[in-house]
Amino acid sequence: MLAFAGAIEPLRLANQVAGKPLYSWRLAGEGGTEAICSNGVAFRLDMGLEEIEREDTVFVCGGLDVAEATTRGVLNWLRREARRGATIGGLCTGSWSVAKAGLLDGKRATIHWENQDSFLEEFEQVKLTKSVFVIDGNRITTAGGTATIDLMLKLIAADHGEDLANTVADQLIYNTIRTDQDAQRLSIPTRIGVRHPKLSQVIQMMEANIEEPISPADLAEDVGMSTRQLERLFRRYLNRSPKRYYMELRLQKARNLLMQTDMSVINVALACGFASPSHFSKCYRAHYSTTPYRERGSHGSHPAAVQRLSI
């Protein structure tokens, strides 16, 4: 809902500040009656999946269980409107829907950081970035949340000038406007609460090498330390060994893949650097107190709570 409001409100305020209707919008969705957010708020739709004007822009706003909510009807509609020349965008996990329609192949794009692992596994033809938003020709994607505000301010500035965009930002009490060069996640030092350059460098290497983990000895060598020094560094600042920290990163990615994709447990294990499903299952149970198979089953038992919106 935050991504949705972040798209609508800057446009409303642009109209208010300008004193004339610069932008208009309609809410569209399959069935044309109602769409419900993951927080339970319902929106009345203005239209179903009918044909739109060629100069219109379609934004797919996604939330939880985006794969289940991305129906054949939605995909066909997106493809048809793209063929007719419409600009197509994805807000938050809406980027997944746009990619599933094949509309991001060969394009730069972004999606919420929590969905990046599963997105990379499924859409190899998309050039995924970690930016807060990406504009690549007539394809637009955002990471969701407040990143949608940054995107809309960028579009308002491009259409009607920086002064109007800055005034809208002031109305939103939004005092730090990000660009497509800004990353969506906090820096590693901020995330772990420690400012140590070598520790940050090692963690960055770990995060970039999940499928083929690097040994502690090689990690230490790459930053000019001994293995024992690296052990002490992790113990001092993170209260765990490098091996344990690396394992937690791999298991977190595994959990994301289990929850967000249809990949088999074996393929999830391989994608996260585990040589065998039995070892993967043992480590997963030790960390999450459940097995990968039960995790997948418990997630699949919940009905979808979100329908897609198009703005």
Side-chain angles (χ1 to χ4, degrees):
M1 187 171 181
L2 183 56
F4 173 80
I8 295 289
E9 281 300 283
L11 302 182
R12 181 189 69 80
L13 285 167
N15 292 348
Q16 178 180 307
V17 171
K20 57 184 177 180
L22 301 177
Y23 298 98
S24 63
W25 52 89
R26 291 175 293 168
L27 305 187
E30 200 165 26
T33 56
E34 185 181 72
I36 303 173
C37 286
S38 55
N39 62 9
V41 174
F43 290 96
R44 178 180 57 80
L45 300 178
D46 301 308
M47 59 179 286
L49 302 183
E50 292 94 28
E51 193 172 278
I52 62 173
E53 300 295 328
R54 293 178 183 272
E55 64 271 16
D56 284 348
T57 296
V58 174
F59 281 112
V60 184
C61 187
L64 301 175
D65 297 321
V66 65
E68 186 174 347
T70 305
T71 64
R72 184 184 298 273
V74 170
L75 293 174
N76 289 340
W77 184 66
L78 289 173
R79 291 166 182 150
R80 184 189 73 201
E81 297 309 324
R83 286 194 300 270
R84 297 182 66 247
T87 295
I88 308 290
L91 310 180
C92 197
T93 60
S95 300
W96 191 96
S97 304
V98 180
K100 188 67 175 178
L103 303 180
L104 292 180
D105 289 356
K107 298 284 189 179
R108 293 175 61 253
T110 191
I111 196 170
H112 191 282
W113 61 264
E114 193 174 41
N115 302 89
Q116 292 229 338
D117 291 334
S118 56
F119 191 99
L120 282 167
E121 292 289 338
E122 186 151 3
F123 304 113
E124 296 180 356
Q125 302 304 313
V126 182
K127 302 171 185 176
L128 191 64
T129 77
K130 296 182 179 180
S131 300
V132 291
F133 68 84
V134 173
I135 301 174
D136 191 341
N138 60 353
R139 298 293 179 264
I140 304 172
T141 50
T142 80
T146 58
T148 307
I149 297 175
D150 298 296
L151 169 65
M152 291 302 167
L153 292 173
K154 170 75 173 180
L155 297 179
I156 291 168
D159 292 340
H160 303 288
E162 294 282 350
D163 288 346
L164 178 61
N166 290 337
T167 302
V168 170
D170 283 342
Q171 288 287 329
L172 291 165
I173 320 296
Y174 200 72
N175 55 18
T176 304
I177 304 174
R178 294 170 295 182
T179 73
D180 55 358
Q181 300 302 308
D182 289 303
Q184 55 182 282
R185 293 200 74 186
L186 298 172
S187 66
I188 290 174
T190 303
R191 268 191 277 148
I192 65 176
V194 177
R195 295 195 174 277
H196 191 292
K198 291 191 175 182
L199 181 62
S200 297
Q201 190 177 345
V202 169
I203 291 174
Q204 186 174 20
M205 286 189 288
M206 287 178 172
E207 291 180 347
N209 294 275
I210 298 292
E211 188 168 351
E212 297 181 5
I214 306 171
S215 70
D218 288 340
L219 287 169
E221 184 179 355
D222 285 343
V223 296
M225 303 177 73
S226 68
T227 304
R228 181 168 294 182
Q229 286 174 321
L230 185 64
E231 288 275 351
R232 286 201 297 264
L233 187 65
F234 269 76
R235 291 287 182 190
R236 177 182 176 185
Y237 289 111
L238 300 175
N239 197 31
R240 52 176 57 80
S241 68
K243 184 177 179 180
R244 181 70 237 169
Y245 189 88
Y246 212 163
M247 176 63 72
E248 290 172 0
L249 289 177
R250 293 161 60 198
L251 290 171
Q252 179 60 60
K253 176 177 179 177
R255 188 169 190 271
N256 285 344
L257 295 178
L258 288 170
M259 302 287 275
Q260 299 170 12
T261 74
D262 294 324
M263 292 173 63
S264 69
V265 171
I266 292 175
N267 285 336
V268 170
L270 293 174
C272 298
F274 293 93
S276 70
S278 59
H279 182 225
F280 170 51
S281 185
K282 179 181 177 181
C283 295
Y284 199 95
R285 181 197 289 271
H287 189 63
Y288 289 115
S289 300
T290 188
T291 68
Y293 296 94
R294 288 175 180 167
E295 187 83 270
R296 165 73 51 82
S298 65
H299 176 65
S301 65
H302 297 296
V306 182
Q307 298 176 28
R308 291 292 63 73
L309 300 178
S310 296
I311 300 172

